[in-house]
mmCIF file of all heavy atoms in Angstrom:
data_model
loop_
_atom_site.group_PDB
_atom_site.id
_atom_site.type_symbol
_atom_site.label_atom_id
_atom_site.label_comp_id
_atom_site.label_asym_id
_atom_site.label_seq_id
_atom_site.Cartn_x
_atom_site.Cartn_y
_atom_site.Cartn_z
ATOM 1 N N ALA A 126 1.649 17.512 6.633
ATOM 2 C CA ALA A 126 0.394 17.828 7.315
ATOM 3 C C ALA A 126 -0.004 19.217 6.807
ATOM 4 O O ALA A 126 0.646 20.206 7.135
ATOM 5 C CB ALA A 126 0.571 17.826 8.826
ATOM 6 N N THR A 127 -1.033 19.278 5.979
ATOM 7 C CA THR A 127 -1.400 20.542 5.340
ATOM 8 C C THR A 127 -2.212 21.453 6.244
ATOM 9 O O THR A 127 -2.415 22.617 5.916
ATOM 10 C CB THR A 127 -2.195 20.300 4.038
ATOM 11 O OG1 THR A 127 -3.427 19.664 4.352
ATOM 12 C CG2 THR A 127 -1.396 19.457 3.061
ATOM 13 N N ASP A 128 -2.697 20.900 7.350
ATOM 14 C CA ASP A 128 -3.437 21.711 8.317
ATOM 15 C C ASP A 128 -2.904 21.403 9.716
ATOM 16 O O ASP A 128 -2.130 20.492 9.905
ATOM 17 C CB ASP A 128 -4.948 21.451 8.231
ATOM 18 C CG ASP A 128 -5.325 20.033 8.630
ATOM 19 O OD1 ASP A 128 -4.432 19.199 8.892
ATOM 20 O OD2 ASP A 128 -6.519 19.733 8.682
ATOM 21 N N GLY A 129 -3.320 22.166 10.672
ATOM 22 C CA GLY A 129 -2.882 21.957 12.043
ATOM 23 C C GLY A 129 -3.947 21.309 12.902
ATOM 24 O O GLY A 129 -3.918 21.418 14.120
ATOM 25 N N GLU A 130 -4.892 20.620 12.273
ATOM 26 C CA GLU A 130 -6.016 20.050 13.008
ATOM 27 C C GLU A 130 -6.043 18.529 12.890
ATOM 28 O O GLU A 130 -5.548 17.964 11.917
ATOM 29 C CB GLU A 130 -7.323 20.626 12.449
ATOM 30 C CG GLU A 130 -7.394 22.138 12.579
ATOM 31 C CD GLU A 130 -8.618 22.720 11.905
ATOM 32 O OE1 GLU A 130 -9.621 22.000 11.748
ATOM 33 O OE2 GLU A 130 -8.566 23.896 11.534
ATOM 34 N N ALA A 131 -6.614 17.876 13.881
ATOM 35 C CA ALA A 131 -6.806 16.421 13.905
ATOM 36 C C ALA A 131 -5.493 15.671 13.703
ATOM 37 O O ALA A 131 -5.447 14.665 13.015
ATOM 38 C CB ALA A 131 -7.854 15.998 12.873
ATOM 39 N N ASN A 132 -4.427 16.170 14.316
ATOM 40 C CA ASN A 132 -3.105 15.561 14.159
ATOM 41 C C ASN A 132 -2.615 14.884 15.437
ATOM 42 O O ASN A 132 -1.418 14.788 15.681
ATOM 43 C CB ASN A 132 -2.096 16.615 13.692
ATOM 44 C CG ASN A 132 -2.430 17.149 12.326
ATOM 45 O OD1 ASN A 132 -3.134 16.513 11.555
ATOM 46 N ND2 ASN A 132 -1.943 18.329 12.018
ATOM 47 N N LYS A 133 -3.539 14.411 16.244
ATOM 48 C CA LYS A 133 -3.165 13.766 17.498
ATOM 49 C C LYS A 133 -2.937 12.262 17.359
ATOM 50 O O LYS A 133 -2.676 11.579 18.325
ATOM 51 C CB LYS A 133 -4.196 14.059 18.579
ATOM 52 C CG LYS A 133 -4.200 15.520 18.994
ATOM 53 C CD LYS A 133 -4.993 15.755 20.249
ATOM 54 C CE LYS A 133 -5.065 17.204 20.620
ATOM 55 N NZ LYS A 133 -3.812 17.824 20.956
ATOM 56 N N THR A 134 -3.037 11.741 16.120
ATOM 57 C CA THR A 134 -2.673 10.342 15.900
ATOM 58 C C THR A 134 -1.150 10.268 15.750
ATOM 59 O O THR A 134 -0.457 11.288 15.778
ATOM 60 C CB THR A 134 -3.391 9.775 14.663
ATOM 61 O OG1 THR A 134 -3.123 10.623 13.555
ATOM 62 C CG2 THR A 134 -4.891 9.688 14.888
ATOM 63 N N ARG A 135 -0.613 9.076 15.555
ATOM 64 C CA ARG A 135 0.833 8.899 15.686
ATOM 65 C C ARG A 135 1.674 9.399 14.521
ATOM 66 O O ARG A 135 2.839 9.700 14.697
ATOM 67 C CB ARG A 135 1.132 7.440 15.994
ATOM 68 C CG ARG A 135 0.607 7.140 17.377
ATOM 69 C CD ARG A 135 0.729 5.769 17.935
ATOM 70 N NE ARG A 135 1.530 4.814 17.257
ATOM 71 C CZ ARG A 135 2.115 3.793 17.851
ATOM 72 N NH1 ARG A 135 2.006 3.637 19.148
ATOM 73 N NH2 ARG A 135 2.798 2.918 17.163
ATOM 74 N N GLY A 136 1.154 9.474 13.309
ATOM 75 C CA GLY A 136 1.964 9.964 12.201
ATOM 76 C C GLY A 136 2.347 8.852 11.244
ATOM 77 O O GLY A 136 1.509 8.037 10.868
ATOM 78 N N ALA A 137 3.635 8.799 10.858
ATOM 79 C CA ALA A 137 4.102 7.832 9.865
ATOM 80 C C ALA A 137 5.319 7.081 10.380
ATOM 81 O O ALA A 137 6.219 7.668 10.972
ATOM 82 C CB ALA A 137 4.440 8.539 8.562
ATOM 83 N N PHE A 138 5.321 5.772 10.135
ATOM 84 C CA PHE A 138 6.445 4.906 10.491
ATOM 85 C C PHE A 138 6.962 4.243 9.228
ATOM 86 O O PHE A 138 6.174 3.760 8.409
ATOM 87 C CB PHE A 138 6.003 3.803 11.454
ATOM 88 C CG PHE A 138 5.470 4.311 12.756
ATOM 89 C CD1 PHE A 138 4.124 4.591 12.908
ATOM 90 C CD2 PHE A 138 6.310 4.490 13.844
ATOM 91 C CE1 PHE A 138 3.622 5.045 14.113
ATOM 92 C CE2 PHE A 138 5.817 4.947 15.051
ATOM 93 C CZ PHE A 138 4.472 5.227 15.194
#
Side-chain angles (χ1 to χ4, degrees):
T127 64
D128 65 355
E130 300 174 25
N132 296 338
K133 292 192 183 296
T134 54
R135 292 178 10 154
F138 299 90

